[in-house]
Amino acid sequence: MSNDGMTYAPKGKPNPVVKEGEFQVAAVALDHGHIYGMCNGLLEAGASLKWVYDPDQEKVNDFLTEFPEVKVAESLEQILNDETIQLVAGAAIPSDRSALGNKVMKAGKDYFTDKTPFTTKAQLEETKQVVEETGQKYMVYFSERIHVEGAVFAGDLIEEGAIGRVIQVTGFGPHRLNASSRPDWFFNKKQYGGILCDIGSHQIEQFLYYAGCEDAEILHSKVGNYNNADHPELEDYGDTTLVGDNGATQYFKVDWFTPDGLSTWGDGRTFITGTEGTIEIRKYVDVAREKTGDHLFLVNKDGEKHYKLSGEVGYPFFGELIKDCIHRTEKAMTQAHVFKAAELCLEAQEQAVVV
């Protein structure tokens, strides 16, 4: 397990949905380490990684260590002009993600970006327009749900009716700061967007998904810088309360206060209350008991159950995304869901009380 969320890149069992060479992708803008997890997921689902491009040669060299088969492009335009490329994956600085995506989609390719997808509402509105004009996809790597087997399985249980109708979701998203290893943009609010916009986007997306909401309202949000005076624009804590259009509610908190003694980068947990049962997901560690992640605890009318899901479930999102790109369907994630999760995290950030 990675000691730093920025370098967390899960690997699962290969489960290709296409033949070799049938779905070709490129990786660009290697600013965030999530690009490795994004590419792992796509490759395991059968995609062929043809190109990589970043203006920073050191980042490219690091990428080639992990993916030696990829060709190095001389420019982004070389990739956008390659008619065989169907999807471009990027993990740019957050404030640059939408402009990159707009360029990719205008070139007739689908775009897969790291979260958070936007840092301003103006970016969101512009990208909505580009999606409408081009018919291309603007998909987002919400890794804390789609790349966590416990989180995937929770969705399956909810769909099967194991806990009835979901009425409340609580999410804890602590991360380890590792300030000395972070790039400058990480501490610039205009570039990273604020803590609720950034890592809070995971939490809001999970709420919409698990509770089956198409919309929600931000009731209250707050942010603070409690222990990082040397980085005045860093928000090291944030929390938000929401109510969905179906009456379900959420409370979540995110922070940069993972203790040094924890064996992984963050004790991420999700608690889901339904009308007929409860689910708890211990995503990355079962503190002081097991260093493995993907523990799920289900309680319903049939009793109590502890599932150990590491290596058992897989990551179906990536194969579904590839098939969506080929068939122009929306099974992995709808575009409306992506945009609503993005809009709500921007609203939570805008409305946040500074404590």
Side-chain angles (χ1 to χ4, degrees), residues 5-6 8 10 34 114-115 140-154 171-175 195 198-206 209-210 252-256 265-270 281-284 294 315 318 333:
M6 198 162 180
Y8 180 61
H34 280 169
D114 188 17
K115 66 78 212 149
V140 178
Y141 180 59
F142 290 114
S143 56
E144 290 186 22
R145 180 174 67 81
I146 65 173
H147 228 164
V148 173
E149 288 178 289
V152 173
F153 190 66
F172 297 157
H175 285 57
I195 194 169
D198 181 22
I199 53 180
S201 63
H202 286 298
Q203 302 294 329
I204 291 176
E205 188 276 333
Q206 286 172 90
Y209 176 76
Y210 290 135
F252 74 83
K253 69 180 182 73
V254 286
D255 65 66
W256 293 101
W265 55 268
D267 181 16
R269 299 199 188 194
T270 303
I281 316 162
R282 299 181 189 176
K283 294 183 177 179
Y284 310 114
D294 293 301
Y315 308 114
F318 299 93
M333 190 179 289

Side-chain angles (χ1 to χ4, degrees), residues 9 22 148 154 181 203 209 221 248 251 254 261 272:
E22 192 179 339
V148 173
S181 67
Q203 302 294 329
Y209 176 76
S221 58
Y251 167 79
V254 286
I272 306 167

Side-chain angles (χ1 to χ4, degrees), residues 24 47 69 72 76 87 96-97 211-213 242 250 254 292 298 304:
Q24 301 206 54
E69 73 284 359
V72 179
L76 174 63
L87 178 138
D96 297 340
R97 287 171 185 167
C213 301
L242 304 87
Q250 181 189 34
V254 286
T292 58
L298 170 67
E304 308 166 1

Side-chain angles (χ1 to χ4, degrees), residues 167-184:
I167 58 171
Q168 209 281 333
V169 179
T170 297
F172 297 157
H175 285 57
R176 177 169 281 125
L177 183 57
N178 284 345
S180 61
S181 67
R182 299 286 180 176
D184 290 345

Side-chain angles (χ1 to χ4, degrees), residues 9 39 91 172 185 243 321:
C39 289
F172 297 157
W185 62 259
V243 61
L321 174 60

Side-chain angles (χ1 to χ4, degrees), residues 14-313:
N15 187 21
V17 298
V18 286
K19 294 175 184 157
E20 191 173 339
E22 192 179 339
F23 188 80
Q24 301 206 54
V25 303
V28 303
L30 313 179
D31 295 286
H32 198 294
H34 280 169
I35 191 67
Y36 291 88
M38 296 162 73
C39 289
N40 285 342
L42 289 167
L43 290 173
E44 287 159 10
S48 301
L49 183 57
K50 182 174 181 181
W51 294 109
V52 63
Y53 173 71
D54 191 282
D56 183 339
Q57 188 59 44
E58 190 177 332
K59 288 190 178 76
V60 171
N61 292 341
D62 289 343
F63 191 83
L64 292 173
T65 304
E66 192 70 24
F67 304 105
E69 73 284 359
V70 70
K71 294 195 287 187
V72 179
E74 292 179 10
S75 64
L76 174 63
E77 283 63 39
Q78 184 177 4
I79 290 168
L80 298 184
N81 291 332
D82 183 344
E83 292 182 1
T84 69
I85 295 298
Q86 288 148 284
L87 178 138
V88 175
I93 293 169
S95 56
D96 297 340
R97 287 171 185 167
S98 62
L100 173 59
N102 296 343
K103 192 178 282 191
V104 167
M105 292 186 294
K106 285 175 180 175
K109 304 179 190 310
D110 293 319
Y111 179 60
F112 184 35
T113 180
D114 188 17
K115 66 78 212 149
T116 185
F118 309 101
T119 54
T120 69
K121 281 192 172 172
Q123 292 172 1
L124 170 62
E125 293 308 315
E126 183 183 8
T127 292
K128 280 183 177 178
Q129 190 65 37
V130 175
V131 166
E132 194 173 322
E133 289 168 2
T134 64
Q136 300 301 139
K137 295 181 181 295
Y138 191 101
M139 287 291 110
V140 178
Y141 180 59
F142 290 114
S143 56
E144 290 186 22
R145 180 174 67 81
I146 65 173
H147 228 164
V148 173
E149 288 178 289
V152 173
F153 190 66
D156 295 341
L157 287 173
I158 291 166
E159 195 173 332
E160 291 164 12
I163 62 168
R165 177 169 54 91
V166 171
I167 58 171
Q168 209 281 333
V169 179
T170 297
F172 297 157
H175 285 57
R176 177 169 281 125
L177 183 57
N178 284 345
S180 61
S181 67
R182 299 286 180 176
D184 290 345
W185 62 259
F186 180 88
F187 302 103
N188 182 326
K189 190 171 176 184
K190 191 173 181 184
Q191 289 181 290
Y192 80 86
I195 194 169
L196 299 176
C197 179
D198 181 22
I199 53 180
S201 63
H202 286 298
Q203 302 294 329
I204 291 176
E205 188 276 333
Q206 286 172 90
F207 170 58
L208 296 178
Y209 176 76
Y210 290 135
C213 301
E214 292 182 9
D215 201 354
E217 179 187 353
I218 307 297
L219 297 181
H220 181 74
S221 58
K222 54 187 180 287
V223 296
N225 180 329
Y226 284 97
N227 200 41
N228 287 278
D230 51 336
H231 297 294
E233 291 190 34
L234 177 70
E235 294 167 350
D236 56 24
Y237 176 86
D239 64 40
T240 303
T241 307
L242 304 87
V243 61
D245 54 2
N246 59 6
T249 68
Q250 181 189 34
Y251 167 79
F252 74 83
K253 69 180 182 73
V254 286
D255 65 66
W256 293 101
F257 289 112
T258 291
D260 289 345
L262 189 73
S263 57
T264 185
W265 55 268
D267 181 16
R269 299 199 188 194
T270 303
F271 303 83
I272 306 167
T273 301
T275 54
E276 297 170 31
T278 62
I279 289 170
E280 179 191 348
I281 316 162
R282 299 181 189 176
K283 294 183 177 179
Y284 310 114
V285 65
D286 192 8
V287 171
R289 297 202 299 186
E290 295 188 45
K291 291 187 179 179
T292 58
D294 293 301
H295 294 268
L296 184 146
F297 299 85
L298 170 67
V299 184
N300 60 13
K301 65 182 186 301
D302 299 321
E304 308 166 1
K305 191 149 188 188
H306 173 198
Y307 294 90
K308 297 183 180 184
L309 298 165
S310 184
E312 299 296 320
V313 179

